[in-house]
Amino acid sequence: MASPRYRRLGRDERREQILAVARRMFTELPYTEVSTTAIAREAGVQRGLVHYYFGAKRELFLQVVRHLTATLATQLPPLPEGLSLEEMVDLCVAHFLDAADANATTWFAAVDAEGFGQDPELTRIVHRTRDLTVEHLLKALRVPGPTDTLRAVLRAYSGLAEVATREWLQHKALSRAQAHTLLARSLLTLVRDIAPAVERS
Amino acid sequence: MASPRYRRLGRDERREQILAVARRMFTELPYTEVSTTAIAREAGVQRGLVHYYFGAKRELFLQVVRHLTATLATQLPPLPEGLSLEEMVDLCVAHFLDAADANATTWFAAVDAEGFGQDPELTRIVHRTRDLTVEHLLKALRVPGPTDTLRAVLRAYSGLAEVATREWLQHKALSRAQAHTLLARSLLTLVRDIAPAVERS
DNA sequence: CAACGCTATTGGCGATGTGCCAATAGCGTG
DNA sequence: CACGCTATTGGCACATCGCCAATAGCGTTG
């Protein structure tokens, strides 16, 4: 008797396997250059199965992005007590840089996903995770009565953090120590001096 | 005599017309949802003509992005003489916000284009324009002996500027005055205090 | 342990998009 | 007015996508 033509896996098992392949391919290549055919081939299944599990290709891509951002969100560290603002900023920045370093590929893939061209659902996902980290920052720094304006300032700060991380890990124009100095001092100044001034504007 | 079935235009004329249509569509919809068929239809020509002028669809898209970024680069204002650092920063920020406001659609489309997914040529284009504006900033602020580290810090600043502008024009979480305060004070602190500290790290 | 049932998986159809190119037809020129 | 250049058309070949009916692993049951 010949061995069966294909292994029949459980729903979640197969789903996760295909998702893993898709994750790798979408982080390595532009969206349009990743075909469902190629994903299926690498996963060792027929293309139809990919659509059976995820529907449209776009839906699969969104799943991938959701997973990437979720991965990053869970990396938020616990908050120690009784530190000064300076120490807390230092700690947050160090944690942030560690996380970015450890998941460089994932991190850039997630951040890069944003611009993928006016896709409302996609930008919603990315913005939500950005908001999550901002909330985490607010808690960590114990800012009294955080306003929406402060949140906006911190979101802007996350834009600076994003590029600074790129300058460190990709472009290598900054060392880790330099990136740390830049991020820590910027955050401190923003929260302590600039944000209040912005509030008053 | 029936009127001719199509108007025959000059090479540059038709090129520009198709490019204009592509520009509009690519700034309104995600890449994958803009078909060459649709571009051709809106331009009132056959699809083959689009490929005759631009080759692949990707090439057309790159042309669009090049045009968008070029548009923004030409908006750099001349530099008045004899101002203090503070005044110069104020002026630069004001100019920047004006430009972003006037070309909001174009601006966000260009910025959003970056993430389109690991496309090397595309990121090259976006980075080059970012570098251009950084050089312009350096000239404007008359920083003595700008180092690569300072350039990296300013690129990070442009990340902050990007999100801050979004918070003003899209999310509307900041007023123009607030965005101005945020950008001006951040830039000043970065150049005067933080960048030197980063250099020493 | 053979028959059965559930559903994971296949394989293929139809529609759409892309790249290309030979044939056609505006339109300026001699 | 005839001619030639080339802008423009229209269609072929192929890839991808979305979908779905048929098939076949594999656990369950009598």
Side-chain angles (χ1 to χ4, degrees), chain B residues 6-9 11 14 46 49 52-53:
Chain B
Y6 60 85
R7 259 176 61 90
R8 190 190 159 111
L9 300 185
R11 207 178 169 75
R14 181 68 77 189
Q46 289 293 342
L49 196 61
Y52 170 71
Y53 279 114

Side-chain angles (χ1 to χ4, degrees), chain A:
Chain A
M1 300 297 285
S3 56
R5 291 212 298 255
Y6 60 86
R7 259 176 61 89
R8 190 189 158 110
L9 300 185
R11 206 178 169 76
D12 291 346
E13 201 174 350
R14 182 68 78 191
R15 233 190 109 85
E16 189 46 48
Q17 180 215 352
I18 295 176
L19 207 52
V21 172
R23 219 141 50 209
R24 184 170 53 74
M25 300 192 71
F26 278 127
T27 54
E28 284 172 357
L29 292 170
Y31 179 83
T32 45
E33 288 180 29
V34 178
S35 63
T36 54
T37 312
I39 293 175
R41 189 183 336 111
E42 300 249 339
V45 299
Q46 289 292 343
R47 192 178 57 84
L49 197 59
V50 177
H51 286 84
Y52 170 70
Y53 278 113
F54 298 96
K57 173 185 175 185
R58 187 191 116 99
E59 205 49 51
L60 173 54
F61 181 72
L62 288 181
Q63 289 284 336
V64 168
V65 176
R66 282 196 199 96
H67 185 275
L68 293 184
T69 53
T71 301
L72 295 176
T74 57
Q75 308 244 339
L76 297 176
L79 309 173
E81 300 283 335
L83 296 182
S84 71
L85 184 59
E86 283 86 348
E87 290 167 327
M88 204 48 127
V89 162
D90 247 26
L91 203 61
C92 283
V93 169
H95 271 303
F96 173 81
L97 290 177
D98 283 342
D101 194 12
N103 314 283
T105 310
T106 303
W107 195 77
F108 288 117
V111 169
D112 279 340
E114 171 163 23
F116 167 74
Q118 330 296 1
D119 187 316
E121 176 65 11
L122 189 46
T123 54
R124 225 192 96 263
I125 295 175
V126 178
H127 283 161
R128 243 178 40 111
T129 37
R130 174 175 285 179
D131 286 345
L132 275 180
T133 63
V134 164
E135 290 307 321
H136 186 261
L137 256 188
L138 285 174
K139 278 207 190 67
L141 303 185
R142 285 182 177 62
V143 185
T147 64
D148 284 346
T149 305
L150 177 56
R151 285 177 224 273
V153 170
L154 287 181
R155 283 194 292 271
Y157 170 75
S158 79
L160 180 140
E162 178 190 317
V163 181
T165 308
R166 228 182 261 284
E167 294 293 332
W168 166 39
L169 289 175
Q170 287 188 330
H171 196 249
K172 300 192 191 310
L174 296 177
S175 68
R176 167 162 178 146
Q178 289 179 317
H180 185 104
T181 304
L182 172 55
L183 289 188
R185 297 206 43 167
S186 300
L187 180 53
L188 208 54
T189 312
L190 277 173
V191 171
R192 209 156 45 182
D193 305 333
I194 299 183
V198 171
E199 300 272 7
R200 288 190 300 271
S201 290

Side-chain angles (χ1 to χ4, degrees), chain B residues 79-96:
Chain B
L79 309 172
E81 302 280 339
L83 295 182
S84 70
L85 185 59
E86 283 85 349
E87 290 168 327
M88 204 48 126
V89 163
D90 247 27
L91 204 60
C92 284
V93 169
H95 271 303
F96 173 81

Side-chain angles (χ1 to χ4, degrees), chain B residues 11 15 18-19 26 31 36 39 47-63:
Chain B
R11 207 178 169 75
R15 234 190 108 84
I18 295 176
L19 208 51
F26 278 127
Y31 179 82
T36 54
I39 294 175
R47 194 178 54 83
L49 196 61
V50 177
H51 287 85
Y52 170 71
Y53 279 114
F54 297 97
K57 173 186 174 184
R58 188 191 116 98
E59 205 50 49
L60 173 55
F61 180 71
L62 288 180
Q63 289 284 337

